[in-house]
Amino acid sequence: MKSFFQYYKPYKGLFMLDFGSAVFVGVLELVFPLITSLFIDKLLPTKDWNMIVLGAIGLFLVFSFVTVLKFIVTYWGHKLGTNIERDIRNELYRHLQRLNFGFFDNNKTGKLIGRLTNDLMDIGELAHHGPEEVFVAVMTVIGALLIMLTIDVKLALITFCIVPIICILTIYFNKKMTTQFRRLFGNVSQFNDVISESIGGIRLVQAFTNERFEEKRFLQTNEDFRATKLKAYNFMSWNSSIGYLAQKFTLIIVLILGCYFVLNNAMSYGEFVAFIMITDILFKPLQSINLIIELFPKGIAGFNNFQELMKTTTDIKDEPNAIAFEGTPQVISYENVTFKYGDKTILDDLSFTINRGEKIALVGPSGGGKTTICSMLPRFYDPVDGRITINNVDIKQMTLESLRNKIGLVQQDVFLFSGTLRDNIAYGNLEATDEEIMDAVTKAQLKPFIDTLPEGIHTIVGERGTKLSGGQKQRVSIARMFLKNPEIIILDEATSALDVETENRIQSAFKQLSEGRTTLTIAHRLSTIRDVDRIFYIEDGHIVEMGSHEELINLKGRYYKLQQAQYAQVLG
């Protein structure tokens, strides 16, 4: 709770306005039965109609003021909760943006979406209703009980006997609801996972005619979600129903005994009416507490999930003494680098050096470690042992932003946002001018395609670029890199989806871009890497062969066999 209340600090004024208005409303609600009693017992017997009208006008003015206060509580109170919800969501999103790839490898998108949406909505409601309604409810209960005692001690004590029973039942059902709502949040995450996977992969689903399988999987997940939700609502309904019955039972007792006391001149008519009204007021805060208790497990479960994610740390972060990387990368060195995924060793004591301007190609069987080697340079992953240096400085001693600003990455699996072509290309440099963007478009051999589009560079690409072909998406990704203009370039099968003619044009553009820059290329198509300076044949986390294209062909080892196999495949 201490962690939760820290989010109120920026909104102390708003909280006091909301809280103070709620308290004032609660006090006036308590005063009204007493005014009614005086109205009946003191003002009515006078038969002074003018005073009765003035009293009624006075009451109307008081209620008008209460109406203003209620508006403040409803609107400004929800504004307080919404502000806190926004702040928590911003904090969580910033935290997620800084977690390393390993975290996202192990957590599903649907779960994270649920943490950012549904969980935090309940937190916002709890932030608004929690403190004020609990305080006002307790204050109102105590005030109502004291007023009851001043009206009639015996009737008050009888009424008091019902309150502990309701509290005990409420606590019991609250524990049950808390358990079910925690399960419910787990089901929501699973629900989101199934939806995001099936809709995101709809083309694969339809290509393999697995619609019925996906429907069956969704129906089962949806049914589990329904069952868990119904269990939570079952306990909620018992809680609400028993509370309602207890309230009406108490009211009936008050009516019977009150009538008896009035008929025996132990209580005035005004006191009787006031006691009935106070009894009704007594149960209103108990209902409020009941609602808070229903909201509390959802809000706290959501906040616990938030805290759990916030406690997730990342090893990929700026060291306390990290410095900005300035200047030109002259030498890149991998020194006895070892990397593991879980218990599986991907790279084993790997060492090599790349000089400025060198063009290096990584080839070899899938799973050998080529992508891992490249992913470690911008610190998407860190080595288990060994280190990577640039200009003899460990990259862990550089700030992530300055390191990654030096590196451009074109991946095989291109991700595009759902905006326009311009938006996606400008992602390489958010401050680029239109002239710079069009220059990158031209270098990436994308201009002929854009010229055919009615809306040109402002064409919407669709979710994940669904309106573009694989080759077009890769050229957009390449344009980003031209726009970024980095000093180190990593190409992960960057031209694999392009036709031969376009590939040749792209290779020419790459040659222009790579002048004076260090380039690492992951390639399966060996025809694209004949002109590189050195080729590393990577297998089982080791460099088993290294040299130029001609040197490795003359060696007649693994690279030679791979080249012969591809040549034979081309010949058919």
Side-chain angles (χ1 to χ4, degrees):
M1 295 305 297
K2 183 179 180 181
S3 300
F4 182 68
F5 282 122
Q6 70 177 346
Y7 291 97
Y8 285 88
K9 289 181 180 179
Y11 308 107
K12 290 179 181 178
L14 189 58
F15 175 76
M16 293 307 298
L17 174 65
D18 174 45
F19 192 83
S21 298
V23 170
F24 218 122
V25 169
V27 170
L28 291 175
E29 289 282 356
L30 285 172
V31 171
F32 180 66
L34 297 178
I35 296 175
T36 304
S37 177
L38 292 173
F39 210 90
I40 295 172
D41 289 339
K42 303 296 183 184
L43 193 58
L44 189 59
T46 66
K47 298 181 182 181
D48 188 340
W49 187 248
N50 290 331
M51 289 299 296
I52 292 173
V53 171
L54 287 174
I57 293 173
L59 278 176
F60 177 77
L61 292 175
V62 170
F63 285 134
S64 298
F65 180 59
V66 172
T67 301
V68 174
L69 294 178
K70 281 183 174 289
F71 178 86
I72 292 173
V73 171
T74 303
Y75 177 75
W76 295 96
H78 276 102
K79 182 177 181 180
L80 170 66
T82 302
N83 287 351
I84 291 173
E85 177 187 335
R86 175 202 61 192
D87 292 348
I88 292 176
R89 184 175 285 116
N90 286 343
E91 185 177 345
L92 181 56
Y93 187 77
R94 279 195 299 268
H95 183 68
L96 288 175
Q97 289 288 307
R98 286 158 178 76
L99 294 177
N100 60 20
F101 280 21
F103 170 82
F104 295 100
D105 292 341
N106 297 316
N107 286 274
K108 293 185 177 181
T109 303
K111 176 183 177 181
L112 300 178
I113 291 173
R115 295 290 183 266
L116 280 164
T117 52
N118 298 334
D119 291 10
L120 299 187
M121 289 181 186
D122 292 320
I123 291 174
E125 284 298 301
L126 181 63
H128 166 215
H129 294 289
E132 76 177 38
E133 293 209 12
V134 169
F135 179 84
V136 172
V138 171
M139 178 199 73
T140 304
V141 168
I142 294 172
L145 294 176
L146 290 175
I147 292 173
M148 285 179 170
L149 287 171
T150 62
I151 296 174
D152 190 280
V153 176
K154 290 179 291 185
L155 195 53
L157 292 175
I158 293 171
T159 307
F160 295 172
C161 294
I162 308 296
V163 176
I165 297 173
I166 297 176
C167 292
I168 292 170
L169 290 171
T170 299
I171 292 170
Y172 170 77
F173 286 113
N174 174 53
K175 290 181 179 179
K176 296 289 186 181
M177 284 190 294
T178 300
T179 302
Q180 290 304 318
F181 277 114
R182 283 176 180 168
R183 291 179 182 173
L184 187 64
F185 280 126
N187 285 353
V188 169
S189 297
Q190 185 181 1
F191 196 68
N192 289 338
D193 287 336
V194 172
I195 293 173
S196 67
E197 286 179 359
S198 60
I199 294 179
I202 191 65
R203 286 167 176 76
L204 182 66
V205 172
Q206 294 183 357
F208 283 88
T209 63
N210 281 335
E211 293 91 341
R212 291 184 181 177
F213 170 78
E214 291 299 332
E215 287 172 12
K216 184 178 179 181
R217 189 162 72 111
F218 176 81
L219 289 174
Q220 184 59 53
T221 304
N222 201 17
E223 184 60 31
D224 292 342
F225 178 74
R226 170 186 173 276
T228 305
K229 202 168 188 179
L230 285 177
K231 286 182 180 178
Y233 286 145
N234 181 46
F235 291 120
M236 186 186 298
S237 300
W238 276 105
N239 192 18
S240 176
S241 300
I242 292 175
Y244 174 81
L245 181 61
Q247 175 186 357
K248 297 309 178 186
F249 176 75
T250 305
L251 187 59
I252 291 171
I253 296 296
V254 169
L255 283 171
I256 294 172
L257 294 178
C259 288
Y260 176 81
F261 292 149
V262 170
L263 293 175
N264 287 278
N265 297 318
M267 179 184 289
S268 69
Y269 286 101
E271 290 173 337
F272 181 38
V273 172
F275 202 97
I276 292 173
M277 295 178 70
I278 284 291
T279 302
D280 188 55
I281 289 174
L282 173 67
F283 280 94
K284 282 184 178 179
L286 292 178
Q287 290 172 351
S288 297
I289 293 174
N290 216 14
L291 291 173
I292 291 299
I293 287 173
E294 291 173 6
L295 180 62
F296 187 81
K298 293 190 286 185
I300 290 302
F303 190 71
N304 286 339
N305 289 335
F306 161 73
Q307 285 191 308
E308 180 184 336
L309 273 180
M310 291 302 296
K311 288 176 183 176
T312 302
T313 57
T314 176
D315 296 328
I316 312 296
K317 59 184 178 182
D318 288 340
E319 298 293 333
N321 58 345
I323 59 172
F325 176 31
E326 298 178 352
T328 302
Q330 299 291 341
V331 181
I332 300 171
S333 294
Y334 283 62
E335 302 173 5
N336 307 110
V337 170
T338 297
F339 182 79
K340 296 180 179 180
Y341 280 122
D343 295 329
K344 184 180 180 182
T345 299
I346 305 299
L347 302 178
D348 186 14
D349 199 31
L350 191 72
S351 296
F352 60 86
T353 298
I354 304 173
N355 295 314
R356 179 187 175 189
E358 259 196 302
K359 292 182 277 294
I360 304 297
L362 307 177
V363 302
S366 297
K370 303 184 296 297
T371 300
T372 302
I373 291 172
C374 293
S375 296
M376 295 175 77
L377 186 56
R379 289 194 68 199
F380 296 146
Y381 300 96
D382 275 342
V384 175
D385 290 310
R387 66 175 192 157
I388 301 171
T389 65
I390 299 179
N391 300 347
N392 294 319
V393 178
D394 193 328
I395 59 174
K396 289 184 179 180
Q397 300 303 316
M398 304 172 183
T399 61
L400 285 170
E401 183 178 3
S402 65
L403 172 65
R404 292 173 181 174
N405 278 337
K406 299 288 184 179
I407 301 171
L409 176 63
V410 178
Q411 295 175 300
Q412 182 178 9
D413 183 18
V414 179
F415 183 91
L416 298 184
F417 297 96
S418 58
T420 65
L421 278 167
R422 188 192 187 284
D423 294 336
N424 278 281
I425 294 168
Y427 209 75
N429 180 0
L430 297 176
E431 298 179 357
T433 63
D434 289 341
E435 291 75 15
E436 290 170 332
I437 291 173
M438 291 310 301
D439 182 55
V441 165
T442 302
K443 290 178 179 178
Q445 303 295 319
L446 196 58
K447 192 173 188 302
F449 164 66
I450 290 178
D451 288 341
T452 66
L453 301 173
E455 297 182 23
I457 200 168
H458 299 290
T459 300
I460 300 294
V461 302
E463 186 177 3
R464 296 182 65 90
T466 53
K467 295 183 179 180
L468 305 183
S469 69
Q472 290 161 353
K473 285 194 286 187
Q474 285 200 330
R475 277 179 276 172
V476 170
S477 180
I478 292 167
R480 285 177 184 166
M481 188 183 64
F482 279 110
L483 197 61
K484 185 175 182 179
N485 196 26
E487 295 179 85
I488 300 172
I489 306 166
I490 298 174
L491 309 175
D492 187 352
E493 286 297 324
T495 61
S496 62
L498 304 180
D499 57 79
V500 175
E501 181 181 352
T502 304
E503 180 186 327
N504 290 334
R505 292 199 297 266
I506 292 293
Q507 290 297 331
S508 176
F510 277 149
K511 185 176 182 180
Q512 174 188 348
L513 182 67
S514 63
E515 288 297 325
R517 296 177 173 85
T518 306
T519 307
L520 286 82
T521 303
I522 299 173
H524 291 293
R525 193 183 298 177
L526 302 186
S527 60
T528 64
I529 58 170
R530 289 178 179 270
D531 297 329
V532 301
D533 298 304
R534 283 187 293 164
I535 298 169
F536 296 169
Y537 191 99
I538 311 295
E539 187 174 10
D540 296 329
H542 297 87
I543 299 177
V544 295
E545 292 179 7
M546 181 171 62
S548 66
H549 173 75
E550 290 76 12
E551 289 171 343
L552 294 182
I553 290 296
N554 293 332
L555 184 64
K556 295 188 181 300
R558 291 176 173 83
Y559 180 80
Y560 173 78
K561 291 179 181 178
L562 180 61
Q563 195 267 349
Q564 290 298 307
Q566 289 194 8
Y567 183 69
Q569 187 178 20
V570 171
L571 293 178

